[in-house]
Amino acid sequence: MAKIGVQAMMLRDSFAGIGAFETLRKVSAIGYNAVEISQIPMTPDNVAELDRSRNELGMDIAALSVAMETPKGRPGDSLAEHFDKIVEDARRLDSKLLRIGMLPFPAMKSIGAVVDFAKQANEYAERLQEQGLSLYYHNHHIEFAKFGGKYMLDIIAENSPAMGMEIDVHWVQRGGLDPVRTLEKYAGRTAMVHLKDYRIGELPESSFGLLDSGDVAGFMAAFKDVVQFAEVGEGNLDFAAIIPAAQAAGAEYMLVEQDELYGRTVWEALQTSYDNLLALGHAGLF
């Protein structure tokens, strides 16, 4: 049965402030019992606290984030440089799923670079399979650009048959596609889904001041920026259809995520998403 958890990217400030264990204690107190680790340094202390959270809180470490190569100027483990450590961490935390969170920036320069990335990722996916681990790719909106009539995400999938998909429904919608149909398309290959809502926000009052001052370009910039991330159930996505579609596609984990909070705390946002998911009848998935 699929389990609803939290994507830890939105908890990175809390991890840095009060540590992994105390952060996950607060996550557990809301009612979430699974977490995907992202943008959290896998230091010995953090790994130890994640392991402690498994043993003392019953927290399921659903997946770990990996990069193929460490980006310049950014710390973190990579498959190229820390393969054995990544495997060791995953085994210690009983995490059988690894995920690449984003297309590397250099791979965005051409479709040829995308294909090269996908083929290299496939090689790592095959190596990880030998270790009992599976590799997945998380989409944004850029993967729905078309090349020769094909979406970039399809091109990635075709060139990395050993790598699965982590479908982010917000970014599918922002890319102009339907989340349910996309989940159906990748059924059998999607072990993780990001539950992230899509809201059209209000124009800020300050934008009308720009308009009054004659700054039409400034007003239009605000006009274009009304697309917002939202707590699950607070936006326009049809989660009553999305969650069954994710389950039918074979998702093991559905992970609540919100990239921007617009003045709310992360704990308020997670509580709202949790309450709305309960109201949809999904108490049994926590």
Side-chain angles (χ1 to χ4, degrees), residues 129-238:
Q129 285 177 350
E130 295 172 359
Q131 303 297 324
L133 303 172
S134 300
L135 184 64
Y136 294 84
Y137 178 79
H138 170 270
N139 69 278
H140 288 77
H141 54 359
I142 191 172
E143 291 88 356
F144 299 106
K146 281 187 175 180
F147 297 86
K150 288 185 177 181
Y151 294 117
M152 183 194 294
L153 191 62
D154 292 336
I155 294 171
I156 292 173
E158 289 170 3
N159 286 279
S160 56
M163 181 168 66
M165 294 290 159
E166 180 179 55
I167 299 298
D168 186 311
V169 297
H170 172 99
W171 288 113
V172 171
Q173 182 72 36
R174 198 174 285 213
L177 277 73
D178 173 45
V180 169
R181 290 178 65 186
T182 301
L183 287 165
E184 291 171 349
K185 181 177 186 176
Y186 288 105
R189 194 169 177 174
T190 301
M192 295 173 286
V193 173
H194 278 189
L195 304 182
K196 181 192 304 179
D197 217 336
Y198 180 104
R199 172 175 59 211
I200 304 301
E202 296 182 8
L203 278 163
E205 186 175 345
S206 59
S207 66
F208 294 97
L210 294 172
L211 190 63
D212 292 341
S213 70
D215 185 359
V216 176
F219 175 83
M220 291 305 299
F223 177 82
K224 293 176 182 178
D225 201 31
V226 295
V227 173
Q228 296 182 352
F229 303 96
E231 296 82 0
V232 175
E234 297 295 307
N236 295 338
L237 292 188
D238 183 7

Side-chain angles (χ1 to χ4, degrees), residues 13-230:
D13 290 343
S14 182
F15 270 74
I18 63 175
F21 182 80
E22 291 303 324
T23 295
L24 294 181
R25 188 202 295 273
K26 296 179 74 171
V27 170
S28 179
I30 294 173
Y32 299 97
N33 296 295
V35 64
E36 177 181 78
I37 302 303
S38 178
Q39 299 187 30
I40 307 299
M42 294 297 282
T43 62
D45 285 348
N46 276 344
V47 173
E49 288 200 23
L50 290 172
D51 196 22
R52 181 186 172 197
S53 75
R54 292 178 57 242
N55 296 320
E56 296 186 25
L57 303 173
M59 186 62 63
D60 185 347
I61 311 301
L64 305 179
S65 295
V66 297
M68 289 204 309
E69 298 180 359
T70 304
K72 292 180 180 179
R74 296 174 62 186
D77 297 339
S78 69
L79 292 167
E81 300 173 46
H82 311 95
F83 187 90
D84 291 340
K85 177 186 181 299
I86 288 169
V87 171
E88 181 182 348
D89 288 345
R91 286 178 174 165
R92 179 176 179 182
L93 298 174
D94 195 27
S95 301
K96 295 181 173 58
L97 310 180
L98 304 176
R99 42 93 66 177
I100 295 173
M102 193 172 201
L103 186 68
F105 294 148
M108 296 180 187
K109 64 184 178 182
S110 70
I111 193 60
V114 170
V115 170
D116 289 343
F117 156 77
K119 290 181 176 179
Q120 186 178 4
N122 193 67
E123 292 176 3
Y124 281 117
E126 291 176 341
R127 286 182 61 189
L128 288 166
Q129 285 177 350
E130 295 172 359
Q131 303 297 324
L133 303 172
S134 300
L135 184 64
Y136 294 84
Y137 178 79
H138 170 270
N139 69 278
H140 288 77
H141 54 359
I142 191 172
E143 291 88 356
F144 299 106
K146 281 187 175 180
F147 297 86
K150 288 185 177 181
Y151 294 117
M152 183 194 294
L153 191 62
D154 292 336
I155 294 171
I156 292 173
E158 289 170 3
N159 286 279
S160 56
M163 181 168 66
M165 294 290 159
E166 180 179 55
I167 299 298
D168 186 311
V169 297
H170 172 99
W171 288 113
V172 171
Q173 182 72 36
R174 198 174 285 213
L177 277 73
D178 173 45
V180 169
R181 290 178 65 186
T182 301
L183 287 165
E184 291 171 349
K185 181 177 186 176
Y186 288 105
R189 194 169 177 174
T190 301
M192 295 173 286
V193 173
H194 278 189
L195 304 182
K196 181 192 304 179
D197 217 336
Y198 180 104
R199 172 175 59 211
I200 304 301
E202 296 182 8
L203 278 163
E205 186 175 345
S206 59
S207 66
F208 294 97
L210 294 172
L211 190 63
D212 292 341
S213 70
D215 185 359
V216 176
F219 175 83
M220 291 305 299
F223 177 82
K224 293 176 182 178
D225 201 31
V226 295
V227 173
Q228 296 182 352
F229 303 96

Side-chain angles (χ1 to χ4, degrees), residues 6-15 23 27 266-267 270:
V6 174
Q7 219 284 351
M9 175 277 291
M10 59 192 299
L11 298 165
R12 60 189 182 277
D13 290 343
S14 182
F15 270 74
T23 295
V27 170
V266 67
W267 308 112
L270 286 174

